[in-house]
Amino acid sequence: MSPALFGLGMPEGAEAIYLSLLERHTAATADLAAETGRTAEEVSDLLAWLRARGLVLRANGLAVSGGADVWAAADPAHALHELVRRREDELHRIRGVLPDLRERFHRSRQDDEAGGALESLDSWEDIGNRYHQLLAEARQEVLMWDHAPYIVGANAPKEHSALDRGVRFHVLCDPRDLPAELAEEFAVLRGLRARLHPDLPFRGAIADRRLCVITMDRESQNARALLVRPSPLLDGLIMLFDTCWSRAVPMTGRPGGLDEPEREVLTLLAAGLKDEAIARQLDITTRTVRRRVQAVLVALNAKSRFHAGVEAIRRGWV
C-alpha cells in the first residue's frame, strides 16, 4: 500500500485496483483481474468494497460489446475525503473507549493490600512511560521533586508540551550538586517556578494532585518506582510537597529573594528587636521597617514576626 493511502483500512488488493482506475478512463473487471493477477471473483469483491465507499462507479454505458462490467474511479477529492472522515469517526470511537480499557487494565493489576492505590514500576522504560503519560494528561499543575544526579541540557518535549498547554510546574531541587546550567534553564521557562530544599528523599511528580510517580532509588536511570493513585498515601505526599515548598528557598541566588536592606531587617528581627529599635539601628523610618518586615514574612511564609525569626534561623539565613 502506498504511503498516501496507508491507514485508510483498505483490504489487500483494493488500492491497486483503485490506483489503476485513477490512471485510465474506464476498465472492465476482466482487465483489472489480468492486471492485478487476481481472479475475476476476487476483483469483483474488491470492487464491491470500493463501490460501497464511493471510490468507484459502474460505467456500463461506456462498456464495450459483450455486456462486461466496466468501472471508473470516483473523484478522489470527494471520495477519499469521505473515507478519511469515516476513518476519523472510527478512531474517535476507539479513543472514547480507552478510559474504560485503561480502568480494566488497572483493576486487573490492583494490589489487594493497597486497595489499588499502588502500582509497582520495575524498569526504567516503565517508569519513563508512566511519567510521560502523567505529563501528557496533566491539565493544571505538576509538582516535582528532583535531586542529583541531574540531567542537564536534555531534550524534554513532554515537559515543554505541558508548559505550552498552560500547565504550571512547581519544582523542588536539592541544592547539592545542582548545575548552574539547570538553574539558568529553569529561570527562562515561563510557567515554571523552582525552589531549593536540602535532602529531598526521592524524585517524583504529582499531576493535578490526583496521580503521582515516586522513585525508589537514587540512580540516574531509576529502575524502581511507585505509581500512587488517589488515596491517603497520595494525600500525604501532597502534604509533604506543600510543606517542603513553603520552607524552600526560591532559586534566585539570594535568600528568599530578599534584597540587602530586607536581609538587614531580617537579622535584627531575628535578634528580637522591635520596629522602632530596628528603625533607629538602620536610620530609617518605622514605616519603611514595616514594609520590609512584610516582605520578609512573605518570603518565609511566616504568620508572625516571631515565626519569621525562628524560620530564618532554622534555614540558616541569619
Side-chain angles (χ1 to χ4, degrees), residues 270-301:
L273 274 66
K274 303 291 186 181
D275 288 356
E276 293 76 13
I278 295 174
R280 288 193 301 271
Q281 180 80 17
L282 298 178
D283 195 23
I284 57 178
T285 66
T286 54
R287 183 177 180 180
T288 300
V289 171
R290 293 189 183 106
R291 186 178 68 250
R292 293 177 184 175
V293 167
Q294 184 59 34
V296 169
L297 293 177
V298 171
L300 288 165
N301 195 29

Side-chain angles (χ1 to χ4, degrees), residues 240-283:
L240 173 63
F241 184 93
D242 289 341
T243 300
C244 291
W245 183 262
S246 69
R247 297 180 177 179
V249 180
M251 196 183 290
T252 59
R254 58 187 185 186
L258 301 179
D259 56 26
E260 188 60 31
E262 290 166 349
R263 291 169 64 185
E264 290 177 345
V265 167
L266 172 61
T267 301
L268 298 175
L269 189 67
L273 274 66
K274 303 291 186 181
D275 288 356
E276 293 76 13
I278 295 174
R280 288 193 301 271
Q281 180 80 17
L282 298 178
D283 195 23

Side-chain angles (χ1 to χ4, degrees), residues 1-315:
M1 186 168 289
S2 70
L5 300 183
F6 181 79
L8 290 181
M10 286 187 175
E12 184 181 356
E15 180 190 2
I17 292 173
Y18 181 66
L19 293 178
S20 178
L21 287 171
L22 283 177
E23 296 172 356
R24 61 178 74 187
H25 190 48
T26 61
T29 302
D31 296 332
L32 293 169
E35 183 175 334
T36 60
R38 297 180 177 274
T39 67
E41 184 178 356
E42 289 173 335
V43 171
S44 294
D45 290 341
L46 293 172
L47 286 167
W49 187 93
L50 292 167
R51 184 188 184 194
R53 288 152 183 80
L55 294 173
V56 299
L57 306 169
R58 284 188 179 274
N60 280 338
L62 300 174
V64 295
S65 59
D69 285 336
V70 177
W71 301 86
D75 185 348
H78 302 292
L80 285 178
H81 177 79
E82 178 62 19
L83 187 58
V84 169
R85 186 193 64 77
R86 293 180 183 178
R87 194 67 170 170
E88 288 175 343
D89 288 344
E90 292 176 4
L91 293 173
H92 181 74
R93 179 185 57 79
I94 295 171
R95 189 179 296 114
V97 303
L98 285 179
D100 178 63
L101 297 177
R102 183 180 172 194
E103 181 61 27
R104 294 185 186 185
F105 173 83
H106 291 319
R107 274 202 307 268
S108 69
R109 288 157 178 78
Q110 285 181 351
D111 183 337
D112 292 337
E113 294 183 0
L118 296 179
E119 181 179 335
S120 179
L121 308 177
D122 300 317
S123 71
W124 178 65
E125 292 82 3
D126 199 11
I127 296 169
N129 289 337
R130 283 296 192 179
Y131 172 67
H132 289 156
Q133 179 184 7
L134 180 149
L135 292 181
E137 296 179 358
R139 292 296 176 264
Q140 296 179 336
E141 68 173 359
V142 172
L143 313 177
M144 296 180 65
W145 295 269
D146 201 4
H147 59 64
Y150 290 101
I151 301 175
V152 181
N155 185 20
K158 297 293 184 181
E159 287 85 350
H160 286 285
S161 176
L163 285 167
D164 291 341
R165 296 197 311 271
V167 177
R168 303 182 305 276
F169 278 69
H170 290 176
V171 183
L172 283 170
C173 296
D174 191 320
R176 292 178 300 177
D177 301 320
L178 176 67
E181 300 91 330
L182 187 63
E184 294 171 0
E185 180 181 333
F186 283 169
V188 300
L189 288 176
R190 185 174 182 180
L192 183 147
R193 296 173 61 193
R195 293 187 179 183
L196 302 176
H197 192 289
D199 301 321
L200 296 180
F202 42 67
R203 286 192 182 100
I206 304 174
D208 297 332
R209 299 178 180 255
R210 65 174 185 80
L211 195 65
C212 175
V213 172
I214 58 172
T215 61
M216 303 298 289
D217 59 51
R218 298 183 71 90
E219 302 300 322
S220 56
Q221 289 190 343
N222 302 108
R224 295 186 300 121
L226 290 176
L227 177 72
V228 186
R229 300 189 184 87
S231 61
L233 176 57
L234 179 58
D235 294 340
L237 289 169
I238 293 171
M239 291 177 62
L240 173 63
F241 184 93
D242 289 341
T243 300
C244 291
W245 183 262
S246 69
R247 297 180 177 179
V249 180
M251 196 183 290
T252 59
R254 58 187 185 186
L258 301 179
D259 56 26
E260 188 60 31
E262 290 166 349
R263 291 169 64 185
E264 290 177 345
V265 167
L266 172 61
T267 301
L268 298 175
L269 189 67
L273 274 66
K274 303 291 186 181
D275 288 356
E276 293 76 13
I278 295 174
R280 288 193 301 271
Q281 180 80 17
L282 298 178
D283 195 23
I284 57 178
T285 66
T286 54
R287 183 177 180 180
T288 300
V289 171
R290 293 189 183 106
R291 186 178 68 250
R292 293 177 184 175
V293 167
Q294 184 59 34
V296 169
L297 293 177
V298 171
L300 288 165
N301 195 29
K303 296 180 173 61
S304 68
R305 296 165 187 238
F306 175 78
H307 182 197
V310 172
E311 187 65 17
I313 294 172
R314 187 191 68 79
R315 298 190 192 188

